[in-house]
Amino acid sequence: MLLMGLAVAANAAAADPAVLQYKVSGDAIATPLAAPGDALRGRDIVAGRDGNCLLCHAIPETGARFMGDIAPPLSGIGARLSAAQLRLRVVDQSRLNPDTVMPSYFKVDGLHRVAPAFRGKPILNAAQVEDVVAFLQTLK
Ligand code: HEC
């Protein structure tokens, strides 16, 4: 997918292959990938080019004027899903729905159509994933 390729290329520099370990239990990743995230940084990632979440999701809390509607709006998601459940959805939504169009932000296996220099690098690093989870938790 073109979208995924672009996102991977834009953010590969932030990747830290040393922290690519996580354990999925049920529909969640219970153990944080890094130190507790920062919700304000998370909002910037979600609304900016690192995350590009608003291409598909409406999140009015970001204050953005233009938002996508091909994915469910994320208002209230912090009340419906736990931090552990949110973490898996950001890390690798394809674990829950193999046909999803949502990029796997912290998965490295199976991303074959990226330039060699960027192979094996996730879109977001571990700290950025935790920032995004922290922001999503504020959407109650
Ligand atoms: C290319 C489109 C696209 C992008 C970009 C995208 N998503 Fe998604 N996302 C989806 C779709 C579609 C779903 C619905 C579930 C599915 O397809 O499996 C979804 C589902 C979710 C869910 C679960 C929603 C629920 O109601 O259970 C969360 C949380 C989520 N996305 C967060 C994010 C975050 C955070 C970002 C940015 C870091 C992001 N998404 C970027 C398409 C996208």
Side-chain angles (χ1 to χ4, degrees), residues 67-135:
M67 297 179 283
D69 61 1
I70 70 159
L74 294 182
S75 294
I77 198 74
R80 199 157 61 70
L81 297 178
S82 68
Q85 289 173 312
L86 292 167
R87 188 172 293 114
L88 176 59
R89 282 146 183 83
V90 175
V91 164
D92 188 5
Q93 172 72 23
S94 75
R95 294 283 289 245
L96 301 169
N97 173 11
D99 297 325
T100 189
V101 296
M102 178 163 160
S104 297
Y105 283 90
F106 197 70
K107 177 190 162 173
V108 288
D109 300 336
L111 293 179
H112 298 305
R113 263 178 270 165
V114 295
F118 301 122
R119 250 170 231 160
K121 310 251 177 81
I123 300 172
L124 298 179
N125 66 31
Q128 289 177 310
V129 170
E130 292 306 319
D131 291 341
V132 170
V133 169
F135 171 67

Side-chain angles (χ1 to χ4, degrees), residues 1 3 9 23 31 47 58 63-64 68 75 82 87:
M1 281 170 66
L3 178 66
K23 184 166 169 288
T31 310
S75 294
S82 68
R87 188 172 293 114

Side-chain angles (χ1 to χ4, degrees), residues 5 22 29-30 41 104 111 120 123 136:
Y22 55 84
I29 297 173
R41 275 201 309 261
S104 297
L111 293 179
I123 300 172
L136 294 176

